[in-house]
Structure formats: C-alpha cells, structure tokens
Amino acid sequence: MFYTEAGQFSGHYRADRRLFRLRQDRYALYALLLFAFAVVPAIGSDYWLNAILIPFLVLSLAGLGLNLLTGYAGQLSLGSAAFMAVGAFATYNLALRVPGLPLLVGIALGGVFAAAASVLFGLPSLRIKGFYLLVSTLAAQFFVQWLFTKVSWFSNDSASGVITAPPLRIAGHDLSNPAGRYLLTLGFVVALTLLARNVVKSELGRNWMAVRDMDTAAAVIGIPLARTKLLAFALSGFILGVAGALWAFTYLGTVEPHGFDLSRSFQVLFIIIIGGLGSIAGNFLGAAFIVLLPIGLSLLSGLLPPGVIDAGQLENLQKIVFGLLIIGFLIKEPEGLARLWQQLRERARVWPLRY
Amino acid sequence: MKHATFRRVAALLVAGLLAGGAHAANEQYFPLQSYRVGPYAAGGTGFFGGFIDYLQYVNAKGGVNGVKLTWSECETEYVVEKGVECYERLKKGLNGAPAAATNPLSVGIAYATLDRSTADKLPLITINHGRTDSTDGSVFPYVFPLQLNPYSEVSAIVNYIGQKSGGLDKLKGKKIVTLYHGSPYGKETNPILELLAKKYGFELTLIEVPHPGNEQQSQWLNIRRIKPDWVILRGWGVMNPVALKTAKKTGFPVDHIIGNIWSNSEDDAAPAGDAAKGYISITTHPSGTQFPVLQDIKKTVIDAGKGNLADPKRFGNVYYNLGVVNGILNVEAVRLAQAKYGKKPLTGEQVRWGFEHLNLDDKRLKELGAYGLVQPLKLSCADHEGGGAVRFQQWDGSKWNVISDWVQADRKLLRPIIEESSKKYAKEKGITPRDCSKES
C-alpha cells in the first residue's frame, strides 16, 4: 500500500536511469543517510562508535569490494585481506614519506596501490577459473603477509612490526575523536557504495554479470574478457585497499601484517556469502551478522549470573551458538540475507493484500 | 496513578545519580580483557585466574580500606580487534564503579589501546611485556611495563649466557639463535639483540615461527645447520612445547635452550614430556605455593570453593603466580593512590599516580606475604618498569628449580636506547614529554 510503484512514471531517460528509481527507496535512503551522518554521531556513545559501528562499516566496505569481484564478476578470491594490507601499509608509508600529503589523498592512493596489486594477482584469472583461481589468490594472501613481515622498510623499521596511525587530520580539523573517525569512515563507505551501485548498473556491471554467468558466451557476444575481469580485480582491490586503510587508521589505530591474515579473508568471504552474492545491501547485512552477532552473544552471556557456567566454556558455547546460527540461516535462505530483504520488499509492495 | 508517577520520578533520579556520580557505589572496578579460549588459553586462564583470586582475597579481607574490588571479563582470544572492542566495552566502569587500570596481557592489544588509554586517562598495565619505550613515563604517562620490559629481559639473558661462558668478553664468536613468535610481542626484542650482538661480538641469527607455532620442523633443521651455542626461545603458548619437542627430534641439547619470560611456565614445559627435561628459562617470580599470600588465598578463596581455576592443580604455577603478582601490584597502586586522594573509589587518573609511586621494599613485601614472590620494585615518573631482574630456573621433568640468583639487566645500557625511541614516538605523535623533575 505504501510501498507501491503506481503513479511513478519516468519523464526522461535520466529519471529512468537514476540509482533509486522508486520514490520510497530514495526517501528511505535520504532518511538513513541523515540519521547516519547527523543523529548517530550526536547520540552514539564511545563504545558504539569505536567498537561497533566503525568495524561494521569497514567490514561492509571490504565485503562490497569482494562482492564486486565474486558476486558480480564471478571471480573467486581468497586474497581480500592481502589487498586490505596493501592499502593499509601503502597509506601508512605515503603519510610517512610524502610530507604534507592530505589524509584523504593518502587513503585513496593506498586504494590505488591495492588495486595495482589486485590486478597483478588477478592476471591468472585470464587462464584459470573457479577453485584454481581461488588458490592463486591464496598465494597473494601468503605472499603479501610474508613481504610485510620480512621487509621491515614497510613498517618503518619498527621493532615490533606494528605501525601506529599518523594523526587523523583533514584541513586542520582533528578527527581523532570517536565521532570524527566514524564520520570519516562513513564518508568513504557511502561514497564508495554509491560508486559501486553506479558501476553495477552500468555497461561494465552488465559485462561482469555476463562473464559471471558464462564467460564463453560473453566472449561470443563481444565482451572483452581480459579487460572486464581485470577491471573487476582493480575496482575490488581499490575498495578493499581503502577498507584496509580505514581498518588500520580509523578503527584500530595500529596495524601489523598478522591483522590481515587468512582468517580475515575468510571473514570477508563469509560476509558476502551470508549477506548475499551479487547484492550491494547484502554486504551491510552480512557484516552486521558477522560483527554484531558475536558481540551480542557475548553481551547476552554477560547477563548470566556469574558462576553458573565456567567462563571458558561460556566462550566456547557462544562460538557453537554462532556457528549454529550461520548454518541455520544458510539452510533457511541459501541466497543470503539480501534475499530475505528482497522478499520483505515484495511483501511490502502488496501489503495488506497477499498477492 | 499518583503513586506510579512518583515512583517513576524516583527511578529517574536514581538512574541520574548512578550515571552522573561515578562514586555512587563504594567499589573499584577492574576491567579484565581475558582470554580463556584459543591457542593462548593456558596463559590466559592461569594469569586471570590468579588475578581474580587475589582480588577475591582482598575482598575477603574487607577490600582496600573498605572499598570493595569488582571486575568483569570480556573474551579477547588474544585477537587485537576483540581486545579493542572489550576495552571500549569495559572502560566506563561497572554499575558506577570506576575502572582502575586495564591489563590486556597481549602486546598487540596493548599497542592498539595505547593511544586510547592515554586519551581516556586509564592506566595500561603490561607486566613483564609490552612496548619497551613505554618505560619512559615522561612520554607514556599511562603505560606501565611493570617489573621487566622486553629489552631488560633480553639483556638479562645475554648477561646470564656471559656468566655461563666465563665473562661477557667470552661471548665473542659464540653463536646464538633467537627463535621468536611471529607477533609484535615476539619481534619487540630483535633490534636490541642485534645491538648486543654487535657490542659483545656474538653471532646472532633471528628465526621467526609464524603464529601460533605448532609446526617448527624447518626452523629447527635450520638451527641444526647453524649449530649454535645457545638458543633463546621467545615463544608463547603452544609454540613452546612444540619447540622443545622438535629440538629433541632434531638433536639439539635442551639444556642450551633458554626460554624467555613467556616460555617459562609449567604449561610450556610439561606438555613436552621428556623432551623438556633440563630446559632453562627465566622468571621474575618463582612458582610454588609456599608464600604466605598464596597460603592465605588457598584458605580464604580456594578452600571456600570460590577459586577461579578450573583445574586446582594449576594453583601456584608460573602463570597463576604472575596473576597474583599482577594483582598485588594493581591493588598496591590503588592503596597508594587512596592514601593521597582519599579512601574512596578512584578514577584511572588517580590510580595512575599510585602506579607511578609504587615502592615495594623487602619490608612491605613481607607485610604482603609476598617476599620472594615479587621482586623489590620502585617506580618513578621517568621509570615505569622498576625492577629489571630475573632468576633462572630449570625444569627437572616435573617442576621448576631455581638455579641462579637474581641476574640484573644492564639497564644503564638500555636507557639511552629507550629514551631515543620514546623521543621519536613523542615527535611522531606531537607529544610534549612531561618534565619529570617537576612531578611529585
């Protein structure tokens, strides 16, 4: 009843091509953005901003990066954390060695370096597919981690291999407080999400999906495979690199190569599998599931009166419950949380009727 | 109706008081970023078990000048981002009881919460580990690598090897291999080892074992090729027993392996079985239950069935005793700070003053029942470490036997390096160091 397309006509091609064609979608988006940019920093506590929202946003962004590659272009990858590491270390070294480089430019250039690395490791995708490609991106994961551990130049010869983030300043404004870091993260996430949505609705996005569904057929109808695949790697790498830089600089404030190990790659992969392959909103839903649920479980278990269950066993129990939830969701909806969201919207269109 | 409104107003008032006045409850809170699962659970359960049992013991004695101690745990699994989440979750205190200090027992987490601790004015305690240059309290007012920082640890080990070889000048030409854990903690000492190698002329090889270290075949084959005189084992958790077992398999004599401060517990040696017999390690505190404070804990806490350890056999082992030592130091800091700021729950900033003025001499240690358990410790604005001495112990197959007197680190040699590093940090971060001559 409220969520209906009736009466919404496009008078121009421009209107027909806009990102969110439905008025309700647009208004919901404006309201969400207004809430995220204006209301959340004002009411969010340090804990919410620092420990929940920032990692949620950064991992959503990482999921977005991988989803473009895997969900849209169909190229499997286990190197997400490696490209995040490249972004983080490149940003750090740029800030350190190029005096006067603005922070935003540094983070963006970190993304560019990650994109370059991603293209390099994406080259095998021109010859191999599926699980074999997965293994070659796994090589990226191990190589990058080894490189940053072995060559201490990357961490400015710091004894422990841990680098600390430079002060977060933009045009003289100090963004080191929780709200500042949150807004910086949010800014990047919103900008890159809009970019990604634009791309997947463009010719490039359609090419990606054609390649994903059957690359021989795509080649036959004249889609340049090499260019399409490498562009997917580049854009995915760029977004992952920015996510890595944000993870290091706005979230943790420090970075070490082991923070970007294989389990981080798996985490990002799980985000897109649970959230939904080939969906933009799915990344946010998946990240919320992966980031928020364990914290929620941990907070819930904190409510139990002490002494009932041994503290160590309680931790293991939480892991079991979390695992069961993942299995449960995937059985209920193998296409991810985004599909549930889709169904909800379809229901809302005809509500209160059933069909 | 009227009654309900009144009740609602009263509830609001109480809530306001709780939120506004942090001192509503007469309690001091310890946020515990503990870890009880994962590859480092042995260290976590022992350390936090001892810490919690000591806090329970202090409470059983009536608290610190009547102020009860309270705590809650948050699982980090030794993972940095979980530690950060826990820090943010717990830092505000509990039910109005203000937080005294954080003790993450993880170098990675300590690094990540260092800036936050300073901004939140909450002491960050890294007993026997941590970031070495945080010893310089003029740059790191809120960070305390108590007892033994990583550089002192290495320096003491090299001094001991020197003693064994008949003088530090005899170190020339000796071959030493350091096998280190591939983490910030493991790497922390590499530059100082290189410096000492240059100074004393021994040949140093650094070999990394990737986290968590349950596969070390190639590393030990490499060691067999080098044929070193000594191996310094800078391990953590599961890496230690695996190292000892692999050493035996590759034929390296175990009594020429020296374990560092996190390779020194029963949980490190015992799982290696026979392979560990003769293994040497350093310690800042002996294991054992003979100390009066441990006997009292046994009486008031363990025997009352409130002990935190799941396995009571671990009572008095190295990790547990370190937890007790850490408890003693934290509570002493609170006590000292109370002497200055009044007998009430204190803010982190006030407790920080207590840590900085810790002064445990033999007399005070005897009063605490911890003589021989805790080394004499005197902290100041410039020195956030205090001790810097270790003893050496050897594993006889079932328990540790202390085999040396206190071996002191060459702190005079280390100080300029620490200051240089902390100055660099201050410059990077734009911190103006405190003037320690003006601190009281």
Side-chain angles (χ1 to χ4, degrees):
Chain A
M1 185 167 71
F2 302 108
Y3 193 72
T4 168
E5 297 171 44
Q8 296 191 41
F9 303 108
S10 305
H12 309 274
Y13 283 119
R14 207 178 55 230
D16 204 42
R17 282 200 309 261
R18 56 200 308 175
L19 279 183
F20 297 92
R21 213 168 50 77
L22 229 52
R23 197 187 306 125
Q24 289 93 330
D25 279 351
R26 274 201 304 279
Y27 290 158
L29 183 76
Y30 295 149
L32 190 69
L33 286 182
L34 189 70
F35 179 74
F37 273 103
V39 182
V40 171
I43 59 166
S45 65
D46 275 15
Y47 174 62
W48 267 93
L49 293 175
N50 268 340
I52 295 182
L53 290 175
I54 294 180
F56 159 69
L57 285 172
V58 176
L59 285 175
S60 305
L61 190 62
L64 177 69
L66 183 63
N67 218 334
L68 290 186
L69 185 64
T70 305
Y72 285 97
Q75 310 298 307
L76 289 175
S77 162
L78 260 184
S80 323
F83 306 130
M84 287 174 79
V86 172
F89 276 84
T91 305
Y92 168 74
N93 278 298
L94 285 167
L96 185 76
R97 294 172 210 279
V98 186
L101 186 77
L103 180 70
L104 293 176
V105 179
I107 294 179
L109 282 177
V112 171
F113 274 93
S118 178
V119 167
L120 187 67
F121 283 98
L123 284 175
S125 72
L126 306 182
R127 285 278 178 275
I128 54 180
K129 282 184 215 166
F131 286 113
Y132 301 96
L133 181 62
L134 197 70
V135 172
S136 93
T137 52
L138 194 62
Q141 175 64 46
F142 288 122
F143 173 74
V144 166
Q145 212 178 334
W146 173 84
L147 182 73
F148 289 144
T149 315
K150 213 69 195 168
V151 185
S152 62
W153 181 83
F154 287 112
S155 48
N156 197 22
D157 299 314
S158 122
S160 54
V162 180
I163 54 182
T164 21
L168 295 172
R169 291 187 153 279
I170 290 178
H173 292 287
D174 185 19
L175 290 175
S176 297
N177 55 327
R181 285 190 287 174
Y182 164 77
L183 286 174
L184 180 61
T185 315
L186 185 67
F188 269 105
V189 171
V190 168
L192 287 175
T193 308
L194 290 179
L195 172 78
R197 181 152 173 117
N198 255 316
V199 169
V200 298
K201 283 175 74 96
S202 71
E203 185 195 348
L204 180 60
R206 289 191 292 275
N207 286 353
W208 281 347
M209 286 179 260
V211 170
R212 173 191 67 191
D213 293 341
M214 190 176 184
D215 59 355
T216 318
V220 167
I221 58 169
I223 293 171
L225 282 191
R227 206 173 132 249
T228 310
K229 283 182 179 175
L230 290 183
L231 269 174
F233 271 100
L235 194 58
S236 154
F238 178 78
I239 293 179
L240 281 165
V242 171
L246 292 174
W247 181 263
F249 293 91
T250 62
Y251 178 38
L252 290 182
T254 65
V255 57
E256 46 146 339
H258 292 279
F260 297 107
D261 59 2
L262 186 58
S263 60
R264 176 89 52 237
S265 287
F266 274 120
Q267 194 182 24
V268 178
L269 188 64
F270 293 157
I271 285 175
I272 66 167
I273 290 177
I274 291 172
L277 290 167
S279 144
I280 301 272
N283 303 309
F284 292 88
L285 299 173
F289 190 92
I290 292 275
V291 175
L292 304 188
L293 210 58
I295 294 176
L297 283 175
S298 155
L299 285 174
L300 265 183
S301 69
L303 294 178
L304 282 177
V308 180
I309 310 176
D310 175 68
Q313 280 170 0
L314 196 62
E315 289 308 324
N316 287 323
L317 266 180
Q318 286 172 35
K319 287 192 180 305
I320 294 171
V321 171
F322 184 54
L324 285 177
L325 281 172
I326 291 181
I327 295 172
F329 265 104
L330 286 182
I331 290 174
K332 182 95 183 64
E333 195 46 82
E335 285 172 53
L337 297 172
R339 179 80 193 135
L340 288 177
W341 175 242
Q342 191 72 31
Q343 283 172 351
L344 196 75
R345 284 178 19 157
E346 275 162 24
R347 284 275 175 78
R349 270 169 84 173
V350 292
W351 188 87
L353 302 171
R354 293 198 59 193
Y355 301 105
Chain B
M1 182 67 206
K2 210 172 178 184
H3 203 69
T5 320
F6 171 72
R7 217 183 287 162
R8 201 172 304 152
V9 170
L12 272 178
L13 270 177
V14 170
L17 273 176
L18 280 178
H23 305 306
N26 195 27
E27 286 179 337
Q28 184 81 51
Y29 171 64
F30 284 93
L32 302 182
Q33 295 145 286
S34 63
Y35 40 99
R36 294 173 182 277
V37 295
Y40 309 108
T45 48
F47 177 83
F48 289 100
F51 195 8
I52 289 174
D53 282 356
Y54 186 75
L55 297 178
Q56 295 197 58
Y57 161 71
V58 172
N59 276 348
K61 295 257 159 181
V64 185
N65 297 319
V67 178
K68 288 269 183 193
L69 306 176
T70 166
W71 58 90
S72 66
E73 290 185 69
C74 175
E75 173 73 31
T76 70
E77 291 177 38
Y78 202 72
V79 172
V80 174
E81 64 268 18
K82 290 200 177 188
V84 169
E85 193 266 322
C86 287
Y87 172 86
E88 295 287 346
R89 193 195 300 181
L90 304 179
K91 71 177 185 190
K92 284 275 186 285
L94 181 75
N95 302 333
T102 58
N103 297 266
L105 196 69
S106 152
V107 177
I109 299 175
Y111 266 91
T113 56
L114 201 143
D115 289 345
R116 295 166 198 253
S117 295
T118 311
D120 295 330
K121 297 191 189 304
L122 190 61
L124 170 64
I125 311 305
T126 56
I127 188 169
N128 287 4
H129 65 282
R131 181 180 171 127
T132 306
D133 53 10
S134 62
T135 305
D136 185 356
S138 63
V139 176
F140 296 89
Y142 283 90
V143 191
F144 293 85
L146 294 177
Q147 288 203 105
L148 187 71
N149 68 34
Y151 284 12
S152 297
E153 179 189 330
V154 167
S155 161
I157 294 177
V158 170
N159 285 349
Y160 176 78
I161 295 178
Q163 268 181 29
K164 280 275 177 184
S165 322
L168 284 168
D169 51 322
K170 296 282 191 320
L171 282 174
K172 205 168 182 59
K174 287 254 188 303
K175 283 184 188 167
I176 298 179
V177 166
T178 299
L179 194 66
Y180 64 94
H181 189 247
S183 68
Y185 142 74
K187 286 184 222 159
E188 178 83 26
T189 55
N190 289 352
I192 198 72
L193 274 164
E194 273 159 4
L195 190 117
L196 289 173
K198 216 177 279 164
K199 183 176 159 80
Y200 296 121
F202 59 83
E203 224 175 277
L204 175 77
T205 317
L206 299 166
I207 302 179
E208 177 175 315
V209 175
H211 149 100
N214 41 16
E215 171 53 53
Q216 300 174 25
Q217 195 69 24
S218 69
Q219 283 89 349
W220 281 95
L221 285 176
N222 204 356
I223 289 174
R224 191 167 72 169
R225 196 174 47 74
I226 297 166
K227 292 200 189 70
D229 298 281
W230 295 90
V231 170
I232 299 175
L233 177 60
R234 197 170 164 72
W236 177 218
V238 70
M239 171 181 162
N240 293 319
V242 172
L244 295 176
K245 275 192 219 161
T246 321
K248 181 166 177 167
K249 228 188 291 169
T250 52
F252 188 83
V254 71
D255 57 354
H256 278 70
I257 304 176
I258 299 187
N260 84 324
I261 198 72
W262 298 104
S263 312
N264 70 346
S265 82
E266 287 82 353
D267 298 308
D268 297 318
D274 264 358
K277 207 180 270 180
Y279 169 52
I280 299 172
S281 77
I282 66 171
T283 183
T284 50
H285 58 282
S287 51
T289 58
Q290 70 274 27
F291 308 100
V293 60
L294 281 161
Q295 288 301 321
D296 285 351
I297 291 176
K298 187 164 168 40
K299 244 180 280 166
T300 51
V301 181
I302 310 270
D303 290 348
K306 287 188 289 188
N308 191 270
L309 287 177
D311 176 8
K313 277 204 282 299
R314 296 178 67 207
F315 178 69
N317 79 3
V318 169
Y319 286 143
Y320 184 89
N321 282 7
L322 182 65
V324 174
V325 169
N326 194 49
I328 291 174
L329 298 178
N330 274 277
V331 171
E332 273 305 289
V334 170
R335 202 187 303 275
L336 273 173
Q338 281 191 0
K340 182 176 162 80
Y341 296 104
K343 293 170 182 172
K344 54 173 199 233
L346 302 173
T347 62
E349 194 176 3
Q350 292 166 332
V351 176
R352 189 203 73 82
W353 187 91
F355 273 108
E356 198 154 85
H357 291 80
L358 273 181
N359 185 5
L360 295 173
D361 50 11
D362 287 348
K363 182 167 156 285
R364 182 65 193 145
L365 288 175
K366 276 180 189 145
E367 285 168 15
L368 290 166
Y371 181 67
L373 182 67
V374 186
Q375 61 179 297
L377 211 59
K378 184 170 169 28
L379 267 64
S380 66
C381 160
D383 180 10
H384 276 192
E385 177 191 16
V390 299
R391 296 172 86 162
F392 287 75
Q393 55 181 8
Q394 194 161 28
W395 183 252
D396 68 1
S398 59
K399 66 173 191 313
W400 289 107
N401 298 309
V402 173
I403 54 166
S404 84
D405 205 2
W406 290 105
V407 177
Q408 187 67 43
D410 196 347
R411 298 188 70 204
K412 278 210 192 71
L413 172 78
L414 303 176
R415 186 70 199 184
I417 306 167
I418 290 172
E419 275 179 11
E420 189 191 328
S421 167
S422 67
K423 288 222 173 70
K424 191 174 143 209
Y425 178 84
K427 203 164 147 245
E428 256 176 45
K429 286 276 174 180
I431 300 169
T432 322
R434 292 185 292 162
D435 185 354
C436 277
S437 57
K438 286 184 191 143
E439 292 283 322
S440 62

